[in-house]
Amino acid sequence: MQILQGKNSWHLVNSLFLLSALYLFCCGCSAEDIPGRTVQQPAVAGAFYPAAKGELDSMVQGFLEKAKSDCPAVTGEIFGLISPHAGYIYSGPVAAYGYSAVAGMKFTRVIVMAPTHYVLSRWIATISPEAFATPLGEIPVDRELVNRLTSEVRLVKVDPQSFAKEHSLEAQLPFLQKVLGNFKLVPLVFGAVDIRECDEIARKLADILQEEPGKTLIVASSDMSHYLTADQGNAMDKLALDLTVKLDADKLWASMSKEECQYCGASDVVTMLLIAKKLGASVKVLKYGDSGDATGDKRKVVGYGSVAFYQESPVLPVSGSSLKARADTVETAKRIQNNTKEVSVDMLSENERKKLLKMARETLESYIRDKKVPKFEVTEEVLTRKCGVFVTLKKQGELRGCIGYLVGVKPLNEAVVDMAINSSTRDPRFSPVMPDELSEITIEISVMTPLVKVLDVNEIEVGKHGLVIKRGWNSGLLLPQVAPEWGWNREQFLQHTCSKAGLPTDAWKQPGTEIQSFTAQVFSEDKP
């Protein structure tokens, strides 16, 4: 069943859902009333994806490998995805982009929000068996959080029937198993809830994300336009993705209601946008395609989008039971944000620095000349640690591009490769680097320590500290080497970082502005 098919069907479906579900909505069972079966068996193995373990493993791995080499870099910490849920031969190549972007990240819990296709309901269904099974094995359920949601959010009801045939949630599981390994699942299947009800669950899920930063991934399962020509569907999906990137949940909801665009997971996608907006997050479309890419038939296609939601810097806890209050000391803040091995400013040896510069240079040359990303063998343990890193390109001493990861979202060796490409081709301030410029360009790498909240601006040392200044959705960063290069004092450094964030130059003095500092190990090639 496709929930969004037009203005009339939108209202009709909502009315039918209200009437047919009234009794169950009022009298839905509690978490303790779940029937005795403890493992939820797959419903669409052998139909939407292969039922044989080896065949499924090979198929998903193939999708991930192809996506990895072409996936746009995300300069922050991903906490959410929109991912399609059609048969893998159609949507798998697109879904792989989102899952490639989170591969190897240390999430301990995944909340999958998916639309109902078979059961009329006016609530958000959940269940808490011991595990969900796929041909790749079993995924334990986070029964504690399921019980918490059913007790704290009026819309969340235990409803096994909503899971009996549903493919939209199940289609995400093998990908998650491949890229994350061990994690606990929180399954949520959305009925015809409206935007105000989406906001209710979004508030709760945003709080959960903030309680344990970096531990929870949220996946919104949804396909896009259905059974239109490729030209028609792609145009509608462009509108949907534009509104998604802008986090404009109200306009997206209104546009879907008027059949201007489509997400079949209307409610779960809107919930994701509301969560991201509450967190002041950023959005990036990683891949778009349609079913015609697989079949070659563009007369009637279904659209698929892979979208990442991320924080430019780690979310510090501001509420919740597990971490009672925001960190008020530098050392506590450092421990919260540094979820990998300790990174020091002088952690890299001369040989390790030379190796990173060599990797960046070879990547730059290969990608600019041939659009190919070289492979590197890395045996040094320190180069596999996750930490923030920026790659700066200079041409005859002038800036030619600079992009980086603010926090450790990838191993350092992989991040340097990503940023060598991005700084040369995706810095919006510059045109892409051309092959005839390569001999004039010098590469500089800045390996960052974790961000630390600044409690007293007098602690900022020019030439030692880099700065991040945030206020609302605005955020700006300047590396430690920038201030001495321009001859700034501490106050000028703060003013220019505010300007970089699009804020008034005195915003650093105002309540509600957050200042963070970091140090960096900075090293570069010899000038040509």
Side-chain angles (χ1 to χ4, degrees):
M1 178 182 65
Q2 181 185 337
I3 292 177
L4 294 180
Q5 294 180 331
K7 290 183 284 188
N8 293 332
S9 58
W10 171 272
H11 297 299
L12 176 61
V13 168
N14 271 285
S15 300
L16 289 172
F17 275 37
L18 278 166
L19 291 171
S20 64
L22 182 60
Y23 173 77
L24 288 174
F25 183 73
C26 296
C27 306
C29 54
S30 68
E32 289 73 29
D33 295 326
I34 296 173
R37 185 176 169 199
T38 59
V39 177
Q40 183 76 12
Q41 296 299 322
V44 295
F48 278 65
Y49 58 81
K53 178 180 179 180
E55 185 180 354
L56 175 58
D57 185 272
S58 178
M59 173 182 279
V60 175
Q61 184 63 34
F63 291 149
L64 292 170
E65 288 176 356
K66 289 180 181 179
K68 182 179 179 180
S69 63
D70 190 43
C71 188
V74 176
T75 55
E77 185 172 315
I78 296 173
F79 65 84
L81 299 172
I82 295 175
S83 183
H85 55 232
Y88 277 18
I89 61 171
Y90 305 111
S91 67
V94 174
Y97 277 74
Y99 289 115
S100 174
V102 299
M105 296 180 70
K106 303 301 181 183
F107 295 110
T108 58
R109 174 198 294 142
V110 180
I111 300 171
V112 180
M113 307 185 299
T116 181
H117 288 78
Y118 306 101
V119 176
L120 298 177
S121 73
R122 277 283 295 127
W123 58 83
I124 301 169
T126 190
I127 50 174
S128 61
E130 293 178 11
F132 272 64
T134 80
L136 300 183
E138 293 185 357
I139 306 169
V141 171
D142 189 338
R143 299 173 116 181
E144 180 180 351
L145 183 53
V146 168
N147 289 341
R148 177 180 167 188
L149 290 174
T150 57
S151 64
E152 296 180 6
V153 183
R154 65 178 184 85
L155 289 166
V156 180
K157 309 288 180 180
V158 174
D159 176 18
Q161 187 178 2
S162 290
F163 293 82
K165 298 180 180 179
E166 188 55 61
H167 63 272
S168 58
L169 186 142
E170 183 181 324
Q172 310 303 329
L173 302 185
F175 275 102
L176 287 165
Q177 289 172 297
K178 282 290 293 180
V179 298
L180 298 185
N182 297 322
F183 64 93
K184 289 187 176 181
L185 175 68
V186 178
L188 299 174
V189 171
F190 281 60
V193 299
D194 62 32
I195 191 169
R196 292 168 298 177
E197 294 165 329
C198 291
D199 189 64
E200 182 180 340
I201 185 68
R203 287 196 301 271
K204 176 59 64 177
L205 296 181
D207 285 345
I208 290 167
L209 284 172
Q210 290 178 309
E211 288 172 9
E212 295 184 276
K215 298 299 184 182
T216 300
L217 174 68
I218 302 182
V219 178
S221 176
S222 182
D223 295 340
M224 301 189 73
S225 60
H226 279 60
Y227 310 127
L228 302 171
T229 67
D231 288 343
Q232 293 170 328
N234 295 172
M236 292 179 71
D237 293 342
K238 182 181 184 303
L239 172 60
L241 291 171
D242 287 346
L243 295 174
T244 298
V245 170
K246 294 175 182 176
L247 294 178
D248 196 337
D250 290 328
K251 190 168 182 180
L252 177 62
W253 188 267
S255 296
M256 290 190 292
S257 300
K258 293 185 287 187
E259 205 177 359
E260 294 172 348
C261 62
Q262 296 178 346
Y263 273 114
C264 65
S267 299
D268 58 280
V269 168
V270 165
T271 298
M272 179 66 85
L273 267 60
L274 292 168
I275 294 169
K277 191 169 184 178
K278 294 176 194 303
L279 298 177
S282 299
V283 190
K284 178 167 285 189
V285 177
L286 303 178
K287 185 68 174 178
Y288 173 77
D290 61 52
S291 57
D293 297 335
T295 66
D297 185 351
K298 295 286 188 173
R299 292 172 297 178
K300 282 190 176 182
V301 302
V302 177
Y304 310 121
S306 183
V307 183
F309 298 80
Y310 59 98
Q311 292 281 352
E312 293 288 355
S313 60
V315 183
L316 288 171
V318 297
S319 64
S321 57
S322 62
L323 291 170
K324 298 295 184 183
R326 193 182 184 92
D328 288 324
T329 68
V330 169
E331 288 306 313
T332 303
K334 187 182 292 186
R335 286 197 302 272
I336 289 172
Q337 295 187 51
N338 184 19
N339 58 6
T340 59
K341 294 185 178 180
E342 197 68 32
V343 177
S344 63
V345 69
D346 58 350
M347 70 175 187
L348 299 175
S349 69
E350 182 179 358
N351 286 337
E352 289 159 349
R353 297 195 299 269
K354 286 181 177 178
K355 182 163 186 173
L356 287 179
L357 287 168
K358 184 173 184 291
M359 291 169 61
R361 170 57 64 178
E362 290 181 7
T363 299
L364 179 66
E365 299 270 353
S366 177
Y367 193 82
I368 296 302
R369 295 188 191 280
D370 304 314
K371 298 300 180 186
K372 293 182 179 179
V373 181
K375 304 293 185 182
F376 299 100
E377 181 179 353
V378 175
T379 57
E380 299 87 344
E381 185 273 338
V382 69
L383 299 186
T384 65
R385 297 184 191 177
K386 292 182 179 180
C387 57
V389 62
F390 276 70
V391 172
T392 303
L393 306 182
K394 293 184 178 180
K395 180 180 177 181
Q396 299 178 349
E398 298 294 327
L399 184 65
R400 187 62 178 85
C402 180
I403 293 182
Y405 285 126
L406 186 58
V407 294
V409 297
K410 281 190 173 184
L412 179 56
N413 62 299
E414 296 180 15
V416 165
V417 170
D418 286 350
M419 294 307 110
I421 295 170
N422 289 344
S423 62
S424 62
T425 62
R426 293 168 185 159
D427 188 328
R429 299 167 295 180
F430 302 95
S431 60
V433 170
M434 302 303 292
D436 60 6
E437 297 180 85
L438 290 171
S439 62
E440 302 177 86
I441 285 177
T442 302
I443 299 173
E444 178 181 87
I445 298 175
S446 303
V447 180
M448 299 166 57
T449 59
L451 297 170
V452 174
K453 182 181 178 182
V454 174
L455 303 177
D456 181 354
V457 294
N458 292 315
E459 297 173 352
I460 298 169
E461 296 183 35
V462 172
K464 176 181 178 181
H465 292 120
L467 292 180
V468 176
I469 291 182
K470 301 171 68 178
R471 184 180 180 89
W473 286 13
N474 293 70
S475 177
L477 175 146
L478 288 176
L479 294 169
Q481 59 268 41
V482 173
E485 285 176 359
W486 288 90
W488 297 335
N489 60 28
R490 181 188 296 122
E491 184 166 340
Q492 290 171 322
F493 193 20
L494 287 160
Q495 291 171 344
H496 282 282
T497 310
C498 289
S499 295
K500 184 76 178 291
L503 297 169
T505 56
D506 65 347
W508 61 275
K509 301 178 181 179
Q510 300 171 2
T513 299
E514 182 176 4
I515 306 173
Q516 296 171 303
S517 70
F518 60 92
T519 56
Q521 188 173 10
V522 182
F523 46 97
S524 65
E525 298 176 315
D526 294 331
K527 294 181 180 179

